[in-house]
Amino acid sequence: MSNANARANATVYDQRRRKLKKRNKRYFQRIMITLIAFYAICLTSKMWLKNNYKNIDITPIGSVVSQNNREVTLISWSYCRDERKMEVLLGISNTAYDGNDTYEWSAEDKDAGSLKVTPIIEERNFVVLQLTDLPSRITVISLRMDQSKIQDFETIRLYAAPDRNMKSVADIKVKSKEEYQIQQIQSEIELANETISDLEEEIRKNKSTIRNLNTAINDAESDLQYQTSSEMESTNQKISTLRSQKKNANEAIDTAKNKIQELNEKIENLNKEIDSISSSGR
């Protein structure tokens, strides 16, 4: 009898041991699958994860970065994906007039690291840079401007990203100084025309606002004849507010028209400057 019990116990023990071994095997298999999936995601994330640029201030074309008594204008930032090359045009104003008008340039991609920067033209107030041997995938680029002769000079940074402030081009070729100057002026004309379009849209919106305000004023004035003295007081206050809003809208239209006139004069002068440069280069 005792032998039978011993065999039964041994059988139960063996069954439990096999179940536990099977359970542990499944447990470790799950861990291995999880680890493999985790590493696969980490290794391929750059291929499919979209970059989040929300926390980085991309430098708009035409904007001015002021620092160290320097005003640096980002004129254009061109990118040729096929050639793995970029071209950056900058306007520089040295408001310190200290004679330190040459700078050290470097660039870095947020993911790929340091990039090769070559100055093509370095004038006192105008610089053309080329970034070459770029990685196949660009994220956010930080362009840095330094001046080692000035002790307290803080690095000036401009930021760019594809589909944000970079212009895609078919190729990038080195041009003459005069061609770059014309390109700079053409960029200014383009920005001026964009500003004119924005101002014209602002005028259209304000005209629409004035039409709506006129309707509201007429309706309120019509209501006065059927109102009590207290209601009339409230309506008159409303009419006064509406007329004030109408006045502000008319003033905004006049301001926008004056700006458009100034910009058109600027464009005319810039075109004359292009003609002058073209004539001198012949």
Side-chain angles (χ1 to χ4, degrees):
M1 191 75 176
S2 60
N3 289 337
N5 288 335
R7 283 195 299 272
N9 290 335
T11 301
V12 171
Y13 173 77
D14 188 53
Q15 289 174 346
R16 288 178 178 176
R17 184 175 61 80
R18 284 198 299 270
K19 286 181 180 179
L20 182 60
K21 185 176 180 181
K22 190 175 182 180
R23 189 183 302 119
N24 288 339
K25 184 178 180 181
R26 286 198 302 268
Y27 175 74
F28 284 114
Q29 284 176 338
R30 287 171 185 165
I31 291 178
M32 289 303 297
I33 291 170
T34 301
L35 287 173
I36 290 169
F38 174 76
Y39 282 112
I41 290 171
C42 289
L43 291 172
T44 62
S45 61
K46 288 185 179 182
M47 297 171 60
W48 54 269
L49 282 177
K50 186 177 180 179
N51 282 288
N52 182 2
Y53 302 135
K54 291 181 180 178
N55 298 325
I56 297 178
D57 293 328
I58 301 300
T59 309
I61 298 298
S63 64
V64 179
V65 178
S66 299
Q67 197 174 321
N68 307 304
N69 294 314
R70 270 49 173 192
E71 294 179 353
V72 182
T73 304
L74 178 56
I75 298 168
S76 66
W77 195 311
S78 303
Y79 173 35
C80 179
R81 187 182 300 274
D82 292 339
E83 295 180 355
R84 294 168 59 198
K85 187 186 296 184
M86 290 180 180
E87 182 181 80
V88 184
L89 274 66
L90 302 171
I92 302 174
S93 177
N94 178 359
T95 57
Y97 305 104
D98 54 16
N100 294 309
D101 295 316
T102 56
Y103 306 93
E104 297 91 43
W105 302 94
S106 60
E108 185 175 286
D109 181 86
K110 187 166 71 73
D111 287 352
S114 297
L115 304 172
K116 182 180 178 181
V117 182
T118 304
I120 304 301
I121 290 180
E122 289 186 279
E123 296 288 324
R124 180 179 56 82
N125 57 0
F126 180 62
V127 172
V128 179
L129 305 171
Q130 280 195 2
L131 282 66
T132 54
D133 302 326
L134 298 173
S136 57
R137 182 174 178 273
I138 297 296
T139 56
V140 176
I141 290 180
S142 168
L143 178 64
R144 291 101 183 262
M145 169 181 167
D146 289 290
Q147 223 300 337
S148 56
K149 293 180 181 178
I150 301 176
Q151 184 176 359
D152 299 325
F153 194 95
E154 295 182 5
T155 302
I156 297 175
R157 290 177 170 83
L158 296 90
Y159 296 95
D163 303 324
R164 295 288 296 277
N165 60 347
M166 292 181 187
K167 180 180 180 180
S168 293
V169 294
D171 56 24
I172 293 175
K173 296 177 181 178
V174 175
K175 306 179 184 73
S176 67
K177 177 183 173 181
E178 289 75 20
E179 287 175 318
Y180 280 121
Q181 286 176 328
I182 290 173
Q183 183 177 336
Q184 175 189 4
I185 296 168
Q186 287 171 337
S187 297
E188 289 187 58
I189 292 172
E190 186 177 332
L191 287 170
N193 280 320
E194 288 175 4
T195 304
I196 287 173
S197 295
D198 292 340
L199 290 168
E200 288 173 341
E201 178 62 26
E202 183 183 326
I203 289 171
R204 282 192 290 272
K205 287 181 179 178
N206 278 309
K207 284 183 175 180
S208 176
T209 298
I210 289 170
R211 286 194 295 270
N212 293 332
L213 288 169
N214 282 333
T215 301
I217 290 169
N218 291 334
D219 290 345
E221 288 175 338
S222 298
D223 292 340
L224 285 171
Q225 57 184 322
Y226 305 112
Q227 293 181 340
T228 64
S229 56
S230 62
E231 289 174 335
M232 290 173 66
E233 183 180 354
S234 175
T235 301
N236 281 323
Q237 288 178 351
K238 177 183 178 181
I239 292 170
S240 177
T241 300
L242 292 171
R243 285 174 176 165
S244 177
Q245 291 174 354
K246 178 181 174 180
K247 180 184 176 183
N248 291 338
N250 274 314
E251 288 176 351
I253 288 173
D254 290 339
T255 300
K257 285 181 177 179
N258 290 333
K259 287 180 180 177
I260 289 173
Q261 183 178 347
E262 290 176 5
L263 286 166
N264 280 322
E265 290 174 1
K266 179 181 179 180
I267 290 170
E268 185 179 348
N269 291 330
L270 288 170
N271 280 318
K272 288 179 181 178
E273 191 174 350
I274 288 175
D275 292 338
S276 176
I277 293 171
S278 299
S279 299
S280 64
R282 289 181 188 138

